[in-house]
Amino acid sequence: MPRFVIQQHDARAMHWDFRLEAGGVLKSWAVPRGPSMDPSDKRLAMEVDDHPIDWGDFEGVIPDAQYGAGAVIIWDRGSYRPLGDQPVEKALEAGHLSFWLEGEKLRGGWTLQRVEGRRWLLVKRRDDEADARRNPVSTQPESVVSGRRIDEVES
Ligand code: MN
């Protein structure tokens, strides 16, 4: 099964980098508010450049002089599988991918839907794992690797 990772990143603005392994790279989106468990939330997800697979293991501080300077934690990770028959890369080219996540915090189906250009929406699918009352971005802020919150990585 291919992997996914979500890295919380305190750059110029806080965001959650959502990454899916496909075609030997990490397809990546920056989600300013992070993922939601509520199917009625449509979370903006800005497509960013593909990242190397190894980047998914990074947790620490990107130095000031570099692009994306700021702290990074591995907020969640695990495996995923596409829902539907299309290969992941084809579905992304077509601007619509539904998938099932098996992470440590996130479980269930989500959809990435392209709006225009690099703007996508990340939306929880209506399934048994959907839960409008659960908000793991705020209630489970710790790294799944180190147990640290992002403000603890920066200090
Ligand atoms: Mn980022």
Side-chain angles (χ1 to χ4, degrees):
M1 293 247 280
R3 316 293 299 175
F4 82 92
V5 62
I6 301 172
Q7 286 160 309
Q8 186 180 1
H9 184 186
D10 189 5
R12 275 178 299 181
M14 186 73 77
H15 59 275
W16 284 256
D17 286 305
F18 183 80
R19 310 189 197 277
L20 299 173
E21 180 188 333
V25 297
L26 294 173
K27 308 302 286 186
S28 298
W29 295 260
V31 183
R33 298 185 61 201
S36 174
M37 300 302 295
D38 181 349
S40 65
D41 279 344
K42 293 175 168 56
R43 293 283 162 95
L44 176 66
M46 293 300 295
E47 186 180 346
V48 297
D49 291 346
D50 297 344
H51 279 57
I53 299 281
D54 288 356
W55 184 253
D57 294 323
F58 180 79
E59 180 167 296
V61 178
I62 300 173
D64 277 346
Q66 290 181 27
Y67 179 76
V72 175
I73 62 167
I74 298 174
W75 183 78
D76 198 15
R77 66 180 178 184
S79 61
Y80 82 96
R81 61 182 166 84
L83 299 172
D85 300 330
Q86 258 193 334
V88 170
E89 290 165 278
K90 285 252 189 230
L92 290 175
E93 279 167 28
H96 183 99
L97 174 69
S98 289
F99 50 88
W100 184 274
L101 299 182
E102 288 285 348
E104 296 183 39
K105 295 173 183 169
L106 300 188
R107 182 163 199 278
W110 273 263
T111 294
L112 271 166
Q113 172 77 51
R114 181 188 279 126
V115 180
E116 184 180 46
R118 289 184 165 248
R119 294 169 66 89
W120 296 63
L121 295 174
L122 176 65
V123 185
K124 181 74 195 72
R125 287 169 64 88
R126 296 185 186 277
D127 55 33
D128 287 348
E129 304 296 334
D131 185 348
R133 291 160 306 178
R134 202 180 142 220
N135 185 9
V137 163
S138 57
T139 62
Q140 296 174 268
E142 302 85 7
S143 162
V144 293
V145 174
S146 66
R148 295 181 297 176
R149 295 187 319 269
I150 198 152
D151 59 299
E152 296 172 311
V153 172
E154 284 166 288
S155 55

